[in-house]
């Protein structure tokens, strides 16, 4: 009898996993809570690293599609101080794919979705409970009452994973607040802002706060304001006026990024799992991506989620008769790989929102490791 594999969550991790399993002739069903691929904006752009995200795409047979969709020029980044003076300006080699080319999340997700048989994703299936069955496998229950069974359940269900709670009772901590705005059609409507941001990323570093902006492939600019985690009502940040007050004294060319936002700002809590989180292996269940190792967003989460997917898929394909041995091998390797990355991400996050952030970040970009760049 075929092993029935259920993947909870059709984000970058879950879809990469389904795609690589499919390439090995292994079927899986992806249960996704959203109603369709276009139900929600997928957010900004990602830089995919050769040793993780790009490697996973190669395993998925999608390296060529990635090269035709990615934007190597998006690696360009500028760091300014609140007066608008340039502290760092990095330009990649023109047309070079040797670094970490940027790709819009929606483009990457579409690329993965298009590579899967049409019935792989069960849309509008929000998993609400998973219960181990006495005879092995799990019973799954979805919002709306639909039920099904599976032999293996892989939680790729992100920050607030339902599957995680079957394996560990860790709690998330609030590490920062991120307020986002979007500026559409920037070249035509706000050419000076398009010029300021350039083809990649811009970070303006203040004391305990960062104003960042990122150019997307559709011609829009995504603005992100990172603030320290405080016990302040998150709704405070829904007003442009309140945000502008927080950036009082900053150069008007920078705060214009806030004023130009198409609609009211959207604040969100940025959370992380304790670094080094592990769990005791349980038969038939595992986690990938943010469900397994939610870390501050400094450029690693999606890359690691995709590498998790590639490594788990290859292990499952190598031991089709003993999936639990495959899952154990995947989990040990994943814990070892992601622990130092989560620690580095926590350090970079703390550095970004410290009073000495500007000096620290310049040192980081000019002399330190280049393994992470702050996310918008
Ligand atoms: C602002 C920001 C910027 C970032 N920038 C970067 C970056 O530049 N580079 C980088 O590598 N990483 C970045 N990250 C991190 C990255 O977004 C995540 O690590 C990555 O998306 C994790 O992928 P995932 O598949 O594990 O989870 P997700 O992408 O969160 O996907 C989870 C999926 O599961 C679905 N789902 C959730 N619950 C259920 C349920 N109960 N039932 C069914 N479906 C469910 C969701 O709808 C979603 O589609 C950033 C994060 C943030 C917040």
């Amino acid at each position: 009898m075929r092993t029935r594999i259920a993947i909870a969550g059709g984000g970058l991790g879950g879809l990469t996993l389904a795609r690589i399993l499919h390439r090995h002739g292994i079927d899986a069903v992806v249960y996704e809570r959203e109603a369709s691929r276009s139900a929600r904006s997928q957010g900004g752009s990602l830089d995919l690293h050769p040793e993780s995200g790009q490697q996973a795409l190669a395993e998925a047979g999608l390296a060529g599609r990635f090269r035709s969709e990615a934007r190597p020029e998006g690696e360009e980044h500028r760091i300014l101080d609140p007066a608008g003076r340039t502290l760092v300006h990095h330009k990649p080699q023109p047309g070079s794919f040797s670094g970490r080319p940027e790709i819009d999340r929606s483009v990457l997700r579409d690329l993965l979705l298009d590579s899967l048989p049409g019935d792989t994703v069960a849309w509008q299936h929000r998993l609400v409970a998973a219960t181990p069955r006495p005879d092995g496998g799990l019973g799954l229950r979805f919002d709306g009452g639909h039920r099904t069974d599976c032999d293996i359940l892989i939680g790729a269900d992100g920050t607030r994973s339902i599957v995680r709670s079957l394996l560990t009772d860790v709690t998330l901590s609030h590490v920062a607040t991120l307020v986002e705005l979007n500026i559409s059609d920037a070249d035509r409507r706000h050419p000076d802002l398009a010029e300021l941001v350039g083809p990649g990323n811009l970070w303006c570093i203040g004391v305990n706060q960062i104003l960042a902006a990122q150019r997307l492939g559709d011609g829009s600019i995504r603005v992100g304001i990172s603030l320290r985690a405080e016990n302040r009502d998150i709704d405070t940040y829904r007003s442009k006026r309140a945000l502008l007050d927080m950036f009082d004294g900053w150069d008007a060319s920078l705060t214009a990024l806030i004023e130009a936002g198409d609609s009211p700002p959207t604040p969100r809590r940025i959370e992380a799992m304790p670094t080094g989180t592990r769990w005791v292996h349980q038969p038939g269940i595992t986690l990938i991506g943010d469900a397994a190792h939610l870390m501050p967003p400094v450029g690693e989460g999606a890359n690691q989620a995709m590498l998790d997917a590639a490594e788990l898929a290859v292990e499952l394909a190598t031991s089709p008769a003993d999936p639990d041995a495959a899952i154990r091998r995947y989990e040990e390797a994943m814990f070892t790989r992601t622990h130092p990355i989560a620690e580095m991400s926590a350090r970079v996050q703390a550095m970004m929102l410290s009073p000495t952030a500007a000096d620290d970040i310049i040192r980081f970009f000019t002399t330190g490791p280049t393994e992470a760049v702050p996310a918008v």
Side-chain angles (χ1 to χ4, degrees), residues 292-307:
H293 44 64
L294 180 67
M295 42 184 101
V298 300
E300 284 286 355
N303 280 282
Q304 296 305 316
M306 293 173 71
L307 186 57

Side-chain angles (χ1 to χ4, degrees), residues 9-10 31-35 40 122-127 157:
Y31 294 101
E32 168 55 49
R33 68 180 170 186
E34 289 171 5
R40 178 179 64 88
W123 297 102
Q124 216 155 8
H125 276 67
R126 184 166 74 85
L127 183 69
D157 48 346

Side-chain angles (χ1 to χ4, degrees), residues 8-14 31-34 40 42 45-49 102 105 109 125-128 142 156-162 178 180 214 268 270 288-291 294-295 297-305 373-376:
L12 297 176
Y31 294 101
E32 168 55 49
R33 68 180 170 186
E34 289 171 5
R40 178 179 64 88
Q42 294 299 309
S45 119
L46 299 165
D47 58 333
L48 288 195
H49 306 180
E102 294 271 339
R105 271 169 193 269
R109 194 179 190 221
H125 276 67
R126 184 166 74 85
L127 183 69
V128 291
F142 298 91
D157 48 346
T159 303
R160 305 214 159 263
S161 169
I162 294 286
L178 178 70
E180 293 178 295
Q214 180 181 62
R268 62 201 276 198
I270 299 294
I288 64 171
D290 283 359
L294 180 67
M295 42 184 101
V298 300
E300 284 286 355
N303 280 282
Q304 296 305 316
V373 291
V376 166

Side-chain angles (χ1 to χ4, degrees), residues 152-154 167 278-288 308 311-319 322-337:
I152 295 175
L153 173 62
I154 296 150
L167 294 171
R278 302 171 64 99
W279 55 86
V280 176
H281 172 77
Q282 286 186 37
I285 317 178
T286 195
L287 306 173
I288 64 171
D308 291 349
E311 292 188 352
L312 177 57
V314 169
E315 291 292 2
L316 288 168
T318 307
S319 308
D322 191 356
D324 263 312
I327 291 175
R328 278 179 197 276
R329 287 195 301 272
Y330 153 74
E331 286 175 341
E332 277 311 313
M334 180 271 291
F335 293 142
T336 304
R337 164 170 49 83

